[in-house]
Amino acid sequence: MKKLTFLLILPLFWACQSTSETKLPIEGTWLLISGETIQQNDTVFTDYTDGQKTIKIINANHFSFLRHDLNKGTDSTSVFVAGGGKYSLNGTTYTEHLEFCNFREWEDHTFDFEITINNDTLVQKGIEKIENLGVDRLIIETYTRLK
C-alpha cells in the first residue's frame, strides 16, 4: 500500500515542482518588428521591417543579434550591426551581457529587460545606459518568433 501511495503522490510532486520552475519559452530565433526609443521627452518609433532585417537568436545561455539592410549595402541605407554574449533569465527579467559587438564601445556592458511572451510575440523593455557614451534611454522592442 505504501508503494501505491508513493506512486500516486509522485506525479503530483513533479507537477508542483515544474510549475514553480517554469521558464518563459525564450529560446529560438526572433524577428525584430518594431522598436521605441524614449530618451528624456523624445520618443522615436522604428519599423525594423522597412528596408532592413534584424534577428535575435537565443539558445540555452547565449544570445546574438544581426541587422542588415535589404539592399546588400549598395546605397545610403547600408547598415550592418552584430553582437552577442551571455544572458540570464530570472522570471520575466532578461539580462544581456554584451560580449561582442561591432560597436566595440558597447562591449562589456550589461542590460536588464522585462520581457513578456504571448504566443509568438516577445516584447522586451528596459534601459540602455552607458555613461561614457551618453546613452541613457528606455527601449521597447517587439519581436515575432521565426519558425
Side-chain angles (χ1 to χ4, degrees):
M1 184 67 175
K2 287 182 184 179
K3 285 184 182 180
L4 180 59
T5 303
F6 176 76
L7 291 175
L8 292 173
I9 293 175
L10 189 59
L12 181 60
F13 172 77
W14 281 331
C16 291
Q17 185 178 21
S18 64
T19 301
S20 65
E21 295 177 7
T22 300
K23 282 192 165 186
L24 291 172
I26 195 169
E27 291 183 34
T29 302
W30 300 89
L31 177 67
L32 181 58
I33 301 299
S34 64
E36 280 184 83
T37 303
I38 303 166
Q39 190 164 355
Q40 296 175 343
N41 294 329
D42 294 326
T43 300
V44 176
F45 178 83
T46 304
D47 178 355
Y48 284 100
T49 64
D50 185 18
Q52 59 186 313
K53 186 173 184 178
T54 303
I55 61 170
K56 180 178 275 193
I57 302 166
I58 302 173
N59 68 21
N61 50 19
H62 285 83
F63 74 97
S64 63
F65 57 87
L66 303 161
R67 176 177 155 211
H68 70 117
D69 61 276
L70 299 178
N71 293 322
K72 302 193 183 286
T74 59
D75 63 19
S76 63
T77 66
S78 177
V79 65
F80 180 78
V81 180
K86 293 181 180 177
Y87 81 90
S88 64
L89 180 62
N90 184 6
T92 60
T93 301
Y94 168 70
T95 302
E96 294 181 342
H97 180 71
L98 192 59
E99 297 175 80
F100 308 95
C101 189
N102 64 305
F103 295 106
R104 304 300 292 268
E105 61 274 13
W106 283 69
E107 291 181 347
D108 296 321
H109 287 88
T110 299
F111 306 96
D112 293 318
F113 302 97
E114 286 300 312
I115 63 166
T116 58
I117 297 176
N118 187 9
N119 297 320
D120 285 343
T121 301
L122 179 149
V123 176
Q124 76 177 46
K125 178 180 181 178
I127 302 291
E128 288 182 331
K129 186 171 185 171
I130 304 176
E131 288 183 27
N132 63 323
L133 296 178
V135 174
D136 188 359
R137 59 191 177 202
L138 172 68
I139 65 165
I140 305 166
E141 296 176 332
T142 301
Y143 296 83
T144 188
R145 186 184 298 274
L146 291 177
K147 298 181 184 195

